[in-house]
């Protein structure tokens, strides 16, 4: 069965729903997006109860902030890597360091302000990942979760058997980050980011779906490796 991919836009953030025999949600969005989430599902005629799993690509505030709301609306299990688990469960504000001049400037200007204004309740994860791959077959999706650290220590990507890769902040492709596909301007370890990209390339990633910006072919990122 061919997977359907639905894009959920929350400002500059994008979450995705992968629908095959079952349905999986990629990322938990910024805080306070429960109502917007319900409207988007209605637009796509998706029954919230069809979503069985919420995969959090990493633990930054704008990717886990509405996880609790989304779980309450769908009944889905929440999955996160053990190294980013604390951010989710304790409702911690997290923003990795800048890796470029613009990234450092943007973080310097905005992080202190946002850290005082953004709050979200912690929510307990149901499934905790380690470095091993996690197959999604039990959730009706032909694909797997791959450990792809670098942006944060616990970053993961969803790689479908058909080549689509949902990479969170392993790449940026929209304003105010970048105007074209490229490596993230925020990361804990940019060399680890490159290693993670090589992992995805070696495992057959073809079309990349970032959390910030439009999808793009893997060839757009290979030149940075």
């Amino acid at each position: 069965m061919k997977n359907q991919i639905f894009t959920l836009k929350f400002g500059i953030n994008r979450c995705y729903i992968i629908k095959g025999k079952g349905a999986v949600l990629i990322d938990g969005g910024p805080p306070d997006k429960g109502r917007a989430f319900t409207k988007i599902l209605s637009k796509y005629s998706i029954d919230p109860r069809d979503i069985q799993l919420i995969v959090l690509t990493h633990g930054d505030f704008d990717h886990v902030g509405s996880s609790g709301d989304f779980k309450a609306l769908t009944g889905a299990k929440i999955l996160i890597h053990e190294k980013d688990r604390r951010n989710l469960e304790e409702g911690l504000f997290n923003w990795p360091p800048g890796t470029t001049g613009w990234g450092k400037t943007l973080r310097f200007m905005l992080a202190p302000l946002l850290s005082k204004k953004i709050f979200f309740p912690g929510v307990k994860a149901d499934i905790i990942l380690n470095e091993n791959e996690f197959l999604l077959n039990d959730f009706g999706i032909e694909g797997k979760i791959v450990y792809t650290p670098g942006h944060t220590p616990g970053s993961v990507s969803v790689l479908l058997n058909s080549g689509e890769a949902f990479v969170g902040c392993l790449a940026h492709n929209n304003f105010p980050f970048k105007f074209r596909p490229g490596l993230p301007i925020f990361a804990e370890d940019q060399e680890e980011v490159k290693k993670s990209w090589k992992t995805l390339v070696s495992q057959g990633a073809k079309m990349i779906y970032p959390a910030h910006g439009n999808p793009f072919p893997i060839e757009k990122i290979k030149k940075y490796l």
Side-chain angles (χ1 to χ4, degrees):
M1 181 178 182
K2 185 177 180 181
N3 293 309
Q4 293 178 283
I5 298 170
F6 301 91
T7 303
L8 291 69
K9 295 182 181 179
F10 301 106
I12 61 173
N13 284 70
R14 297 187 181 206
C15 301
Y16 300 95
I17 292 175
I18 308 167
K19 192 172 183 182
K21 293 180 179 179
V24 170
L25 172 65
I26 310 296
D27 274 338
D32 302 318
K33 297 300 180 183
R35 184 175 297 180
F37 179 67
T38 301
K39 289 182 178 179
I40 294 173
L41 293 187
S42 177
K43 171 187 171 183
Y44 288 137
S45 298
I46 296 175
D47 186 334
R49 294 169 296 182
D50 289 342
I51 300 173
Q52 304 170 36
L53 181 68
I54 302 170
V55 177
L56 302 179
T57 60
H58 58 291
D60 290 352
F61 71 95
D62 56 332
H63 297 264
V64 304
S66 288
S67 299
D69 293 333
F70 294 176
K71 178 177 181 177
L73 290 165
T74 63
K77 295 181 178 179
I78 294 178
L79 175 153
I80 195 168
H81 193 277
E82 60 186 1
K83 292 183 178 179
D84 279 18
R85 175 183 186 177
R86 184 166 173 259
N87 295 342
L88 168 71
E89 297 191 338
E90 298 183 20
L92 301 180
F93 179 92
N94 190 69
W95 189 331
T99 60
T100 65
W102 175 235
K104 293 174 183 178
T105 300
L106 198 61
R107 190 183 188 283
F108 175 79
M109 292 190 301
L110 296 180
L113 176 65
L114 293 178
S115 65
K116 295 178 181 179
K117 289 189 172 184
I118 292 179
F119 300 96
F120 60 95
V123 57
K124 186 175 177 58
D126 300 289
I127 302 174
I128 308 300
L129 294 184
N130 53 28
E131 283 67 32
N132 296 324
E133 294 179 350
F134 183 93
L135 297 179
L136 292 170
N137 301 66
D138 288 344
F139 297 92
I141 301 297
E142 295 183 357
K144 60 186 176 182
I145 300 173
V146 181
Y147 180 49
T148 52
H151 177 70
T152 65
S155 291
V156 300
S157 298
V158 173
L159 179 60
L160 303 184
N161 293 356
S162 48
E164 295 88 354
F166 302 82
V167 300
C169 281
L170 203 62
H172 287 149
N173 186 30
N174 69 339
F175 179 83
F177 306 127
K178 288 194 168 187
F179 292 103
R180 61 181 62 87
L183 300 180
I185 65 171
F186 308 108
E188 295 287 347
D189 190 331
Q190 197 75 321
E191 290 306 310
E192 281 294 319
V193 167
K194 294 178 181 179
K195 290 179 183 178
S196 292
W197 272 114
K198 291 176 182 178
T199 296
L200 290 174
V201 170
S202 69
Q203 295 196 24
K206 298 176 183 177
M207 182 60 69
I208 307 305
Y209 289 77
H212 300 285
N214 293 324
F216 59 88
I218 189 70
E219 286 71 25
K220 296 286 186 179
I221 211 78
K222 286 182 178 180
K223 62 183 179 181
Y224 296 103
L225 307 182

